[in-house]
Amino acid sequence: MRRPLLVAHVQADLHLQCQTCLQPMLHRVDHEFTLCVVKDDDEADELSEDLDPLILEDDNEEISTRDLFEDELILSLPVVANHEPGACGVAVPALQSAAEEPKASTKENPFAVLAGLKKPGQS
């Protein structure tokens, strides 16, 4: 069955906040996408994996190109916005030392006192 395709290209410069140094950063989006027009989920399930469905239940249903492009921009956002390595305002050693595990505590175990309450021969 032949179905109409919507082939589009979105290009934008998005201003995000780096989650490492909390400074502004620029994220460039240059993304092509192809949507295949279908009437329902059953038709969408029949599509090949390289096509995304655009479900229009009514032949006269209008689509908002603004909403389509907004959705594609949202999908292109990184999970965590970070500067490129070496471009961040926070020194890498500072990040590494913050990520290190805390050193073993030399404090006495507060439950060690309970060991003295056990009767001899109990484990």
Side-chain angles (χ1 to χ4, degrees):
M1 173 184 239
R2 297 187 76 184
R3 295 185 175 106
L5 294 178
L6 171 74
V7 180
H9 180 245
V10 62
Q11 191 172 17
D13 289 336
L14 304 177
H15 299 274
L16 305 175
Q17 183 180 39
C18 174
Q19 297 303 299
T20 303
C21 66
L22 302 179
Q23 296 300 312
M25 62 170 279
L26 187 66
H27 177 71
R28 294 188 185 274
V29 175
D30 190 4
H31 178 65
E32 279 193 32
F33 60 97
T34 303
L35 302 175
C36 182
V37 179
V38 295
K39 288 188 180 281
D40 54 34
D41 288 330
D42 293 332
E43 285 187 20
D45 291 339
E46 295 173 9
L47 296 177
S48 63
E49 289 189 19
D50 61 331
L51 292 174
D52 291 323
L54 174 60
I55 298 175
L56 298 178
E57 296 173 355
D58 183 11
D59 288 340
N60 297 325
E61 185 176 347
E62 293 184 12
I63 59 172
S64 166
T65 54
R66 180 177 186 250
D67 290 344
L68 284 176
F69 283 102
E70 180 182 15
D71 290 346
E72 289 301 320
L73 285 172
I74 290 170
L75 289 171
S76 70
L77 289 174
V79 174
V80 178
N82 286 320
H83 284 106
E84 293 294 323
C88 196
V90 175
V92 174
L95 292 175
Q96 290 174 343
S97 65
E100 289 177 3
E101 292 183 26
K103 296 180 180 173
S105 175
T106 57
K107 289 183 180 179
E108 185 178 320
N109 183 347
F111 297 103
V113 175
L114 297 176
L117 299 176
K118 289 196 305 187
K119 295 180 183 173
Q122 287 183 336
S123 49

